[in-house]
Amino acid sequence: MQKFVTPIFGPLLLAAALTAGCSSSDAPTPAQPAVPMGHVHGIAQNPADQLIYLATHTGVYRLKPGQKPALIANRFQDTMAFTIVKADDFLASGHPAVDEDTPNPLGLIRSTDRAKSWRPVALGGRSDFHAIDTAGPLLYAYGSDGRLMRTTDRRSWSTVLRGADLIDIATNPEQVDQVLVTTQAGELLRLNVAGSPRLRPVSGAPQLTFIDRTTQGDVVGIDESGRVFSANQDARSWTRLSSLPGVPEALNVRSDTWLAATEWGVYSSVDGGSSWQQLISRNR
């Protein structure tokens, strides 16, 4: 999932990584000291300031080169389905902090000040989105109620699918009616929204937890054990690229630098997923 197309890391940030890169046969070793942080729901880089933002169960954190992640605005909002559409255009969902008088769930919310504040956009008190993906002005969102929805103006929504048990979604910018999804069982399924909205298995695909598409449209996924795979645009020819330690939590490959979060840390790759460098360590 995640949703901008500009290159993100400069040499300074790469130099600030805590460990050396690893080959596809050697997962990166967690660095110390660990950074205490809740579950990571989403990871993205803002083209406006070139910084990484981590949306977690305990708020949104900003990662600056050589520093530990900093909680933004001291807000402990459970920020889910986090997406940066373009510079300073943050979208998310989730649940408010306990001290906030805000509808729960949050529905679709937006920030234009780099997560310092959020304003409601749609479906507040009604929809708890767990995954969001965009293709131009078209936005797909999957909620805890099992509905896959879409919108072109972020306010008027149509339901594409009901009763689904999904984890992640990935749209195709070249064919916006084509959506790939992963299920709680690790299946990769295809949905043609323009036709009969039925989920169909992707033949030959590995079991995957999180998925995304590169700027060239190739599909990238990570399984529950941290193995990273890629495939061509039609998701029919798969290659195992590398492995990351720990259970995966988020994936973003919509730039020249790929980003991933697992229970052990946050990682980046500048060679198409063949090797990874640890940016921060977590919970170990």
Side-chain angles (χ1 to χ4, degrees):
M1 338 168 352
Q2 193 52 320
K3 318 325 172 199
F4 55 87
V5 297
T6 56
I8 63 177
F9 277 94
L12 180 58
L13 184 52
L14 291 179
L18 301 178
T19 62
C22 66
S23 69
S24 59
S25 60
D26 291 319
T29 302
Q32 297 295 333
V35 176
M37 194 187 313
H39 179 91
V40 176
H41 294 304
I43 182 171
Q45 184 265 354
N46 183 11
D49 60 11
Q50 300 295 299
L51 298 179
I52 298 170
Y53 290 78
L54 304 166
T56 80
H57 188 67
T58 58
V60 180
Y61 292 76
R62 179 177 54 244
L63 179 59
K64 290 186 176 181
Q67 300 180 17
K68 291 183 178 181
L71 178 65
I72 298 173
N74 200 35
R75 177 177 289 107
F76 294 92
Q77 169 183 285
D78 182 9
T79 308
M80 308 178 72
F82 179 65
T83 299
I84 298 180
V85 181
K86 58 185 178 181
D88 287 342
D89 187 4
F90 293 19
L91 296 179
S93 187
H95 307 275
V98 295
D99 60 347
E100 292 181 329
D101 184 17
T102 307
N104 187 14
L106 292 170
L108 182 69
I109 56 175
R110 184 187 185 205
S111 175
T112 57
D113 59 5
R114 305 176 187 179
K116 295 176 184 176
S117 65
W118 295 86
R119 65 175 179 83
V121 178
L123 303 176
R126 296 170 55 190
S127 292
D128 173 19
F129 293 129
H130 286 192
I132 289 176
D133 201 7
T134 60
L138 184 61
L139 183 152
Y140 285 88
Y142 170 72
S144 61
D145 59 0
R147 289 193 298 169
L148 179 63
M149 306 174 70
R150 70 174 184 173
T151 178
T152 55
D153 62 7
R154 304 181 181 180
R155 298 185 181 277
S156 300
W157 296 75
S158 61
T159 298
V160 174
L161 193 69
R162 298 178 186 272
D165 191 15
L166 309 181
I167 295 178
D168 204 4
I169 57 179
T171 59
N172 185 343
E174 301 299 322
Q175 296 177 296
V176 296
D177 289 326
Q178 300 291 323
V179 184
L180 293 176
V181 304
T182 56
T183 72
Q184 296 289 339
E187 296 177 289
L188 182 67
L189 306 176
R190 191 190 313 271
L191 177 69
N192 183 1
V193 178
S196 175
R198 294 177 54 193
L199 292 171
R200 301 178 184 276
V202 177
S203 178
Q207 288 197 322
L208 298 171
T209 302
F210 296 101
I211 51 173
D212 199 6
R213 284 188 182 269
T214 68
T215 55
Q216 294 77 33
D218 293 340
V219 184
V220 178
I222 187 169
D223 71 8
E224 64 179 0
S225 66
R227 294 180 298 181
V228 182
F229 298 85
S230 69
N232 53 7
Q233 292 191 25
D234 62 6
R236 298 187 185 279
S237 178
W238 290 87
T239 301
R240 179 179 169 182
L241 299 175
S242 55
S243 294
L244 288 169
V247 177
E249 296 179 353
L251 177 69
N252 181 327
V253 301
R254 288 289 181 93
S255 71
D256 289 343
T257 299
W258 296 3
L259 299 171
T262 78
E263 62 179 342
W264 277 19
V266 175
Y267 305 88
S268 69
S269 173
V270 295
D271 56 9
S274 294
S275 64
W276 295 83
Q277 200 160 30
Q278 188 178 62
L279 303 179
I280 60 172
S281 176
R282 301 171 52 217
N283 304 326
R284 290 292 185 273

